[in-house]
Amino acid sequence: MTGTGKLLRLILRRDRFILPIWVLVLGILPAAYVTTIEGLFSTDAERLDYARISQTNAGFVALYGQLRGDSVAEMAIWRAGFVPVMLGVAVALMLIRHTRADEEAGRTELIGAGVIGRRAPLAAALIATMAAGLVLGVIATLGLIGSDLPVAGSVWAGAEMTLAGWAFAGVAAIAAQLTGGARSARSIAVLVVGLAFVLRLGGDLSAMSDGPLSWLSWLSPIGWAQHIYPYGAADWWPALLMLLFAAATTAVGVILLGHRDLGAGLFPGRPGPATAAPSLRTPLALAWRLHRGLLIGWASAFAALGLVFGAVGQSVADIGQGTAMGDIFARMGGSDVIVSSYFASIAGMVGILAACYAVQATLRMRDEESAGHAEMVLTSSSSRWSWAAGHLVFSLLGPAVVLLLEGVVSGAAYAAITGDNLMGDVVGGTVAELPAVWAIAGVAALLFGLLPRCAALSWGALSVCLLILLVGAPLQLDQWVLDISPFTHIPHLPGGDLTWTPLVVLTVVAAALVAAGLTTLRRRDIPA
């Protein structure tokens, strides 16, 4: 594996901005949840009441896993039950970016002309991603210890995060060998992460009633991670399972690499027709052909999220009935109505996810440019503006579609379970996030037009918004720091007061950013 060290330094150089952001964000989340829980519950009785109900609440078990204790430490690590999912996605995208994406763009072939071993790119990417997982685990451990939690449990909690990252790094190593395109490899890796979450969810829900399917969670690396119980049993053998799984998948990925040609995948790609259909003769039609799979995938995911969030709505209401939890949920959502507060909080998270879709759709222009496709399209009668506008239609209207879909499904699921019709309020609160999503898409469009090599920094801007959403309030950051995120200015709906000024201002800012991006795109070389 000659040249692995040099390629590792190249990866760290390329990811010097994005990598530290997601490692830091996910690493400090467990400690942030400790601060949140300590701030929410003014008495031990409130905390014990919440823990007792959460242990038997199907909605919260579905989202976070099983809660096996009632201490602050156990509740904090339980509340961080979704972190392995986010970590799995981040690790998979990073590894595929430095393996299959580089190979697809021709960079691997260029580097391979030097003194570089056949497996060096994959080895360097694996070392970088696993090192990132290790650093994240160390940050989580130090943060939990700094929150006055037991040292041994904090070390186990950090190990849980690290091993989850390693497990999905191995999955991504396999996915990178299966197809000839980076987008397909990403889809496979993210699908495996989603399947692992569903298996964990199904197994834990079945275990609540001693059902016959509790074993499903033992088929999932996420289930293994959550069965460690750092501040409880601290079982070591689920950690051993994760370590063995990571080693096995990594080895399989390395072996598969030796059984395919450079630039190809084990699953051969299907060539398209020699001539384009009449429906592909405009830039917008071409953009639809390129974006339709992405739109369908995100729409399906948002529909599934809406189904889960709507079903959990009744569980939230049940927790507030007859307990002291009503005021707590009101403080979290900014409303005196528990269910409205819950849906307002969910709307903020869904808005961040929609912004991820907006950035991904916008940066598709950069992928097309890097692959040389944009240059070929622009040799025809299509102008730069019409080509870019075709992609921006999906960057701006695509998030509107998925947000609307999530709101409709969430409201319908809640109405079907409870009989209460909050459809209008839920949909309004979700769609209200759209101006903030457009602002983030505008940042991506501006970076693509002005500094195309730095277009990926738009993910950094989105990471800052996520960091502010997750830890801004628990860490009591100054208001000017919170105001950096456009999502901070969105009214808390449903339940809060609808103010049009921030929505209009954010929409104008987004339009200005997109216009500036189109203007700068017109004045630079393609490809850049």
Side-chain angles (χ1 to χ4, degrees), residues 151-511:
V151 175
S154 300
V155 172
W156 275 110
E160 175 184 328
M161 304 297 174
T162 295
L163 291 174
W166 289 2
F168 289 111
V171 170
I174 295 176
Q177 317 310 320
L178 298 180
T179 69
R183 286 188 296 274
S184 298
R186 294 188 192 103
S187 299
I188 293 172
V190 172
L191 180 62
V192 172
V193 176
L195 178 61
F197 175 72
V198 171
L199 289 173
R200 195 281 306 161
L201 182 152
D204 286 350
L205 288 179
S206 181
M208 290 180 61
S209 57
D210 297 326
L213 299 179
S214 59
W215 54 271
L216 286 176
S217 61
W218 292 103
L219 300 179
S220 166
I222 297 174
W224 301 339
Q226 295 184 353
H227 279 82
I228 294 176
Y229 301 119
Y231 297 101
D235 291 333
W236 59 269
W237 65 275
L240 179 60
L241 281 176
M242 298 178 69
L243 187 60
L244 293 176
F245 179 83
T249 51
T250 299
V252 170
V254 173
I255 293 173
L256 293 179
L257 175 62
H259 288 77
R260 66 174 181 85
D261 294 331
L262 183 67
L266 293 176
F267 299 154
R270 185 180 64 180
T275 58
S279 59
L280 292 177
R281 292 179 179 174
T282 65
L284 181 59
L286 176 60
W288 161 247
R289 178 64 180 82
L290 296 174
H291 284 267
R292 65 183 182 184
L294 188 65
L295 176 59
I296 293 172
W298 276 97
S300 302
F302 268 66
L305 285 175
L307 186 62
V308 173
F309 291 146
V312 173
Q314 178 59 40
S315 301
V316 174
D318 292 341
I319 288 180
Q321 293 176 357
T323 69
M325 298 301 300
D327 293 339
I328 293 174
F329 274 88
R331 290 201 300 269
M332 290 177 62
S335 171
D336 294 332
V337 180
I338 299 174
V339 175
S340 295
S341 300
Y342 162 73
F343 280 116
S345 299
I346 291 301
M349 292 187 289
V350 170
I352 291 287
L353 293 176
C356 293
Y357 170 35
V359 171
Q360 186 179 7
T362 304
L363 295 186
R364 181 60 190 266
M365 291 188 289
R366 179 57 180 167
D367 293 340
E368 291 294 296
E369 181 182 11
S370 300
H373 300 160
E375 188 175 11
M376 289 188 292
V377 171
L378 295 178
T379 58
S380 66
S381 59
S382 299
S383 66
R384 296 190 183 197
W385 281 12
S386 62
W387 171 76
H391 289 277
L392 290 174
V393 165
F394 294 92
S395 303
L396 301 176
L397 297 186
V401 171
V402 298
L403 284 173
L404 179 62
L405 180 62
E406 192 279 337
V408 170
V409 174
S410 185
Y414 180 76
I417 294 175
T418 65
D420 296 333
N421 185 5
L422 295 179
M423 179 70 74
D425 293 337
V426 174
V427 172
T430 304
V431 176
E433 302 290 327
L434 197 54
V437 174
W438 285 343
I440 297 298
V443 171
L446 177 60
L447 287 174
F448 169 70
L450 183 62
L451 300 170
R453 294 182 60 184
C454 300
L457 290 180
S458 51
W459 289 111
L462 184 57
S463 299
V464 171
C465 296
L466 177 62
L467 178 63
I468 291 174
L469 174 69
L470 294 177
V471 303
L475 297 182
Q476 298 180 347
L477 299 179
D478 293 337
Q479 186 60 42
W480 70 268
V481 177
L482 300 178
D483 289 340
I484 294 175
S485 170
F487 295 93
T488 303
H489 304 278
I490 299 297
H492 288 283
L493 300 173
D497 296 328
L498 175 59
T499 53
W500 288 99
T501 301
L503 302 180
V504 173
V505 171
L506 285 173
T507 302
V508 172
V509 169

